[in-house]
Amino acid sequence: MADELRAGDNPEREAMAGKRAVCAAGENLEPLEKNEDSCHDGNYCDKPGTLLQSFVPEGKTLFPEVFQTSQLLFYERFQVYQDYILADCKASEVREFTAEFLEKVLEPCGWRAVWHTNVFEVLVEVTDVDFSALKAVVKLAEPYTCDSEVSTFTSECMKELLDLKECRLPLQELWVVFDDSGVFDQTALAIEHVRFFYQNIWRSWDEEEEDDYDYFVRCVEPRLRLHYDILEDRVPSGLIVDYHNLLSQCEEKYREFLNLRSSLSTCKSDSEQENISMVEGLKLYSEIEQLKQKLKLIENPLLRYVFGYQKNSSIQAKGTHPNGQKVTHVVSSSMKTGLLWSLLRDKFCEESCKEEMEIQFHSDPLSAINACYEGDTVIVCPGHYVVHGTFSIADSIELEVIHHGKTTLENCVLQCETTGVTIRTSAEFLMKDSDLYGAKGAGIEIYPGSQCSLIDNVIHHCKEGILIKDFLDEHYDIPRISMVNNMIHNNEGYGVVLVKPIIFSDLQENNQDETEENKALKLKTSVETDTTVKVDLEELIQCTTGKVELHARADLSEQAEGNYEIVNEIVIASTQKGQMRKKRLSELGITQADDNLMSQEMFVAIMGNQFKWNGKGSFGTFLF
C-alpha cells in the first residue's frame, strides 16, 4: 500500500489563485469563497454529503476506501497554511498553532483510518486525539485487517506494538477511511495538511531558528513553491539533485550535531574530551550553517532563477561558428508563398543583408535554439509548435516572432533570463494557463495596435508584470487587451504599467472648454479617490461603452481595486486620444467626430485578476 499511497502525492497543475481554495475549516471558520467551484474542492459549506473523492489502492481490496486528499493544488495548500494554520507564527510556535487548528476542525473520535508505515498497513479506530502531541489514540478495528510482506503481524503482535506506543499514533501516519456523509471531510483534509507539512516543509532544525521573523513568509512559502515547481518540471534536474543532496547532508550533519551536544551534557567540565567535543561542535555548526544558506538560495524563487538555473541549464553556449558567419534559423511547420515573400522582402533583402547569409529551417523552436551559435537569429513563423521540457536562450541569440499572425501559448512555463514576451504592432497573442517569471524588464510588453489575451496565467518576479506601451500618438492604434483570472505577484515594480507622455499639447489647448466628462476624469487623477468618485467613474465608463466588463462595487476588495484601476486609467487614456483625434478632424473640417471612446475596441475584459506583493502596487503609470 505504501507505493500506491505515495503515488497520490503528484498534484494536478497549479491553479490560478482565486479560482478555487480548499479549506479545512471548521464550524468556527468562515469559508474562503461560497461558490460552486469552492464547494467542489472541499470548502466548508452547508450542503449535505461528502465533497471529496475516494480511492482504493491497487491490490489492497481487503481495505476500505480512503479519502483522496493528496492531489491538492498549490494555492489550496498555500491559503490554508497562511490563513488557517500558521498565520504569522514564529518557528517555535508551529506546533502550538497546528494543535489549535486541529482542535477546531478534527473529529475527536468515531472515525476509522489506515495506519500506514513502511512495513505494514493496518486498519484502526480512533477513540481520542491528543492535539498538543499531534497524535491519535487508537485501537485495532474489527475485523482485524492488516497487510504486510511479513506474515508474523498477527492481531496479538499488533496489540503488543500498540501497547508499546501507548496506543498513540502520529496523525500524519493515518489515512482516514472514506465516509460519504461528509462528516469527516474536514478531518481528512486537516490530517492531509499536517502530513504534507511535516513531510515536505518542516525541517528538523527549524525550531532552533531565530524567532524574529514570520515563519510562513521565511520558510513555508518558498519551500511550498519549490515543491510544486519541481513537480511541474520548472526546475532543472541538476538543480533538483543538488537540492536533495544538500538536504540530506544538512540532515546528517544536524543529527551528528545533536548527538554531540547530547554527549557534552554527560562529560565532566573542563575535561579534554569536552574541549575536543566543543571544537567538533563548532565545526559542525559552521558546516550546517553553510548548507542551510545553500538550501535557502535554492528555495528562494528569485535567487534560484538568478543563480541556480544558469548553472544547471542543459544548454551551454557554443561560442561562434567555425567559419565565423552568423546563421538565421527559421522555424516553420509549413509556409505559404505570401509569408515566404514577406521574409525575403523584410529580412533577407539586399539592404538588410550586406553579405551572403546562411539560412537553416527547423520544424520546432527547440531544435532551432539547440542549433544556435553566438550571434545567431531565430525567426519563429506563425504555426502550432509543441515543445516538451525546458530550454534556455543565451543573451547572444536573438529570438524574433513574426509580427503578423496569431501566437498561442498554453500550459507553458517561460523562464525569462533577460526579456519577457513582446507583442508587437499587428500581432495577435494568446497566453493561457502558463507561468512567466524572471524577466529583467516587463514580463509582458504590449505594443499599440496589437491584440493580447491573458487568461489564467501567473506572472511574477519580473521588473514589471505587464507594460502597456504608449498608444496616444496619432499614428498608433489602440491595442485590444483581455486580462482574465491572472495572478500577478512579486514583481519589483507595478503589476501593470501604462506608459504615456507627460504633456498632451493638443489636449491642453482643448481643455479650456471643459465638459462634465472632463471633470469626472479629473476626479480620477486626484489624490482622494473616495467611494463617490469611484461611482462617478463607473457611470462614465458604462455610458461610453457596452463592452467593458466591470465587477467593481462600492466596497471594493484589494484585488477588484486593481482591475478597476486598470480599466479606469486605460479609459482615461483612450478618452484623451479620442479628444486629440476629434480636434484634428475638426481642423480638417470634419465636424461629425466619433465620440465613442471604445470605437476601436480598447479591450474585451479586465476582470478577476489578483495582484499580490508587487513592489510598487497593482497599477501605475510611467510618464516620459
Side-chain angles (χ1 to χ4, degrees):
M1 183 173 180
D3 293 336
E4 289 79 6
L5 287 174
R6 291 195 187 95
D9 289 339
N10 294 327
E12 300 170 1
R13 193 189 186 283
E14 176 181 328
M16 300 299 103
K19 292 177 72 178
R20 305 185 301 176
V22 170
C23 167
E27 295 181 353
N28 297 327
L29 299 175
E30 291 295 326
L32 299 177
E33 296 181 10
K34 292 184 178 179
N35 55 39
E36 293 181 0
D37 288 340
S38 62
C39 286
H40 174 74
D41 285 313
N43 269 357
Y44 179 79
C45 62
D46 297 329
K47 293 183 179 180
T50 183
L51 301 172
L52 302 177
Q53 295 181 347
S54 65
F55 80 102
V56 178
E58 185 178 354
K60 309 295 180 182
T61 55
L62 293 176
F63 287 90
E65 295 179 335
V66 296
F67 281 103
Q68 173 63 279
T69 57
S70 58
Q71 292 185 337
L72 299 182
L73 309 180
F74 168 80
Y75 284 106
E76 295 169 348
R77 297 192 190 276
F78 179 94
Q79 195 157 18
V80 172
Y81 289 135
Q82 183 185 48
D83 296 341
Y84 292 95
I85 301 181
L86 301 175
D88 58 352
C89 76
K90 309 302 181 185
S92 61
E93 300 172 332
V94 167
R95 198 174 191 86
E96 178 185 349
F97 274 59
T98 304
E100 290 178 0
F101 165 76
L102 292 176
E103 197 167 358
K104 293 177 181 179
V105 302
L106 212 64
E107 292 291 334
C109 61
W111 47 279
R112 299 190 303 163
V114 176
W115 177 21
H116 165 65
T117 69
N118 293 329
V119 180
F120 60 81
E121 296 83 33
V122 64
L123 189 64
V124 298
E125 182 178 341
V126 176
T127 59
D128 197 6
V129 177
D130 184 350
F131 295 104
S132 60
L134 306 184
K135 291 185 177 182
V137 181
V138 304
K139 65 179 182 180
L140 292 178
E142 295 182 359
Y144 174 70
T145 307
C146 179
D147 183 74
S148 172
E149 296 179 359
V150 182
S151 59
T152 57
F153 281 103
T154 63
S155 59
E156 289 75 15
C157 292
M158 195 60 65
K159 287 179 181 178
E160 290 180 7
L161 180 59
L162 286 176
D163 289 340
L164 290 174
K165 293 179 172 289
E166 298 180 344
C167 297
R168 292 150 55 90
L169 304 177
L171 286 171
Q172 57 262 37
E173 294 183 5
L174 301 180
W175 296 76
V176 182
V177 170
F178 182 75
D179 184 288
D180 59 6
S181 67
V183 174
F184 302 118
D185 282 19
Q186 301 305 316
T187 296
L189 282 170
I191 292 177
E192 167 61 29
H193 289 304
V194 172
R195 176 169 42 245
F196 181 89
F197 175 79
Y198 282 102
Q199 286 181 351
N200 301 286
I201 306 298
W202 180 256
R203 307 287 183 252
S204 55
W205 54 83
D206 281 354
E207 201 164 6
E208 297 190 10
E209 291 281 345
E210 296 178 3
D211 253 0
D212 57 350
Y213 61 85
D214 187 325
Y215 179 71
F216 177 85
V217 174
R218 180 80 169 268
C219 297
V220 177
E221 181 182 356
R223 291 173 186 171
L224 184 62
R225 290 187 183 278
L226 176 61
H227 176 83
Y228 276 85
D229 283 348
I230 291 174
L231 289 176
E232 293 296 325
D233 295 326
R234 301 177 184 179
V235 182
S237 57
L239 191 59
I240 298 173
V241 172
D242 288 349
Y243 181 74
H244 288 155
N245 289 338
L246 289 170
L247 195 58
S248 299
Q249 293 175 35
C250 195
E251 289 172 347
E252 182 180 352
K253 294 292 183 183
Y254 187 69
R255 283 194 298 268
E256 293 179 18
F257 179 77
L258 292 180
N259 293 334
L260 186 60
R261 187 169 64 180
S262 177
S263 66
L264 279 173
S265 62
T266 61
C267 292
K268 294 180 180 180
S269 59
D270 298 329
S271 66
E272 183 179 355
Q273 180 62 37
E274 183 186 35
N275 293 334
I276 295 174
S277 297
M278 289 185 66
V279 172
E280 292 178 355
L282 289 174
K283 182 180 178 181
L284 278 174
Y285 179 81
S286 177
E287 291 176 357
I288 291 171
E289 287 300 312
Q290 291 179 12
L291 290 170
K292 285 161 62 175
Q293 291 302 318
K294 291 179 180 179
L295 288 171
K296 289 177 181 178
L297 183 72
I298 300 176
E299 290 169 352
N300 183 287
L302 186 56
L303 296 178
R304 180 167 72 246
Y305 308 148
V306 174
F307 298 110
Y309 188 84
Q310 187 172 9
K311 171 188 172 184
N312 292 276
S313 176
S314 58
I315 299 179
Q316 304 295 328
K318 295 182 179 180
T320 59
H321 279 275
N323 56 10
Q325 290 186 335
K326 295 180 180 179
V327 176
T328 298
H329 303 265
V330 178
V331 180
S332 179
S333 55
S334 63
M335 187 176 296
K336 295 183 178 180
T337 54
L339 176 60
L340 180 59
W341 172 251
S342 177
L343 282 174
L344 293 173
R345 182 190 63 221
D346 299 335
K347 304 296 179 184
F348 309 124
C349 60
E350 293 182 0
E351 290 77 7
S352 59
C353 301
K354 297 180 181 180
E355 58 184 24
E356 194 73 15
M357 178 183 295
E358 180 181 347
I359 303 173
Q360 295 181 10
F361 290 88
H362 305 268
S363 59
D364 64 89
L366 183 57
S367 62
I369 292 170
N370 287 339
C372 281
Y373 286 80
E374 184 176 347
D376 284 1
T377 300
V378 177
I379 299 176
V380 182
C381 299
H384 182 253
Y385 308 102
V386 179
V387 177
H388 297 285
T390 61
F391 60 89
S392 63
I393 304 174
D395 292 346
S396 61
I397 298 174
E398 181 180 349
L399 178 66
E400 182 176 344
V401 179
I402 297 299
H403 299 168
H404 297 275
K406 180 177 181 179
T407 301
T408 300
L409 300 179
E410 188 168 357
N411 292 320
C412 294
V413 178
L414 306 176
Q415 184 159 353
C416 310
E417 296 186 7
T418 51
T419 58
V421 174
T422 302
I423 301 97
R424 297 280 185 176
T425 302
S426 301
E428 185 176 352
F429 179 75
L430 168 63
M431 187 167 79
K432 184 177 181 181
D433 293 321
S434 296
D435 191 351
L436 185 152
Y437 57 80
K440 293 181 175 63
I444 303 287
E445 199 169 326
I446 304 174
Y447 273 70
S450 62
Q451 298 184 38
C452 178
S453 298
L454 305 173
I455 303 171
D456 295 331
N457 302 293
V458 181
I459 302 171
H460 57 105
H461 292 97
C462 301
K463 180 74 173 179
E464 309 285 350
I466 299 172
L467 187 144
I468 304 173
K469 287 281 192 177
D470 169 43
F471 56 84
L472 290 172
D473 189 277
E474 62 179 308
H475 302 294
Y476 294 158
D477 291 329
I478 299 175
R480 296 183 59 190
I481 305 170
S482 176
M483 293 171 53
V484 179
N485 295 336
N486 299 284
M487 164 61 84
I488 303 172
H489 68 88
N490 285 107
N491 295 289
E492 184 178 337
Y494 291 103
V496 177
V497 179
L498 175 63
V499 179
K500 60 182 181 181
I502 297 176
I503 299 174
F504 305 104
S505 56
D506 288 347
L507 188 60
Q508 284 181 331
E509 294 175 5
N510 204 35
N511 274 347
Q512 296 176 355
D513 185 17
E514 192 175 55
T515 64
E516 290 299 318
E517 177 182 78
N518 292 338
K519 292 179 181 178
L521 290 173
K522 282 188 175 182
L523 287 173
K524 174 65 181 69
T525 59
S526 66
V527 176
E528 299 180 358
T529 55
D530 56 14
T531 305
T532 305
V533 174
K534 294 173 185 174
V535 172
D536 291 342
L537 280 170
E538 183 176 355
E539 292 175 354
L540 170 64
I541 297 170
Q542 288 178 344
C543 73
T544 55
T545 177
K547 296 190 177 184
V548 180
E549 301 182 31
L550 293 175
H551 289 261
R553 291 178 279 274
D555 185 18
L556 291 172
S557 67
E558 179 182 356
Q559 307 307 327
E561 182 75 31
N563 293 277
Y564 190 82
E565 190 176 3
I566 295 170
V567 172
N568 289 341
E569 191 65 35
I570 290 178
V571 169
I572 290 170
S574 179
T575 303
Q576 293 168 339
K577 181 179 176 68
Q579 291 174 346
M580 291 187 292
R581 179 173 178 270
K582 183 177 179 180
K583 180 179 181 298
R584 286 193 295 271
L585 290 175
S586 298
E587 292 173 351
L588 295 173
I590 303 175
T591 57
Q592 298 296 325
D594 186 5
D595 291 326
N596 182 5
L597 301 182
M598 295 291 104
S599 61
Q600 300 186 56
E601 297 184 339
M602 172 66 205
F603 53 86
V604 179
I606 297 181
M607 55 184 290
N609 304 287
Q610 296 199 39
F611 303 88
K612 292 186 178 180
W613 312 301
N614 295 294
K616 295 183 180 179
S618 302
F619 178 79
T621 55
F622 178 77
L623 304 178
F624 68 97

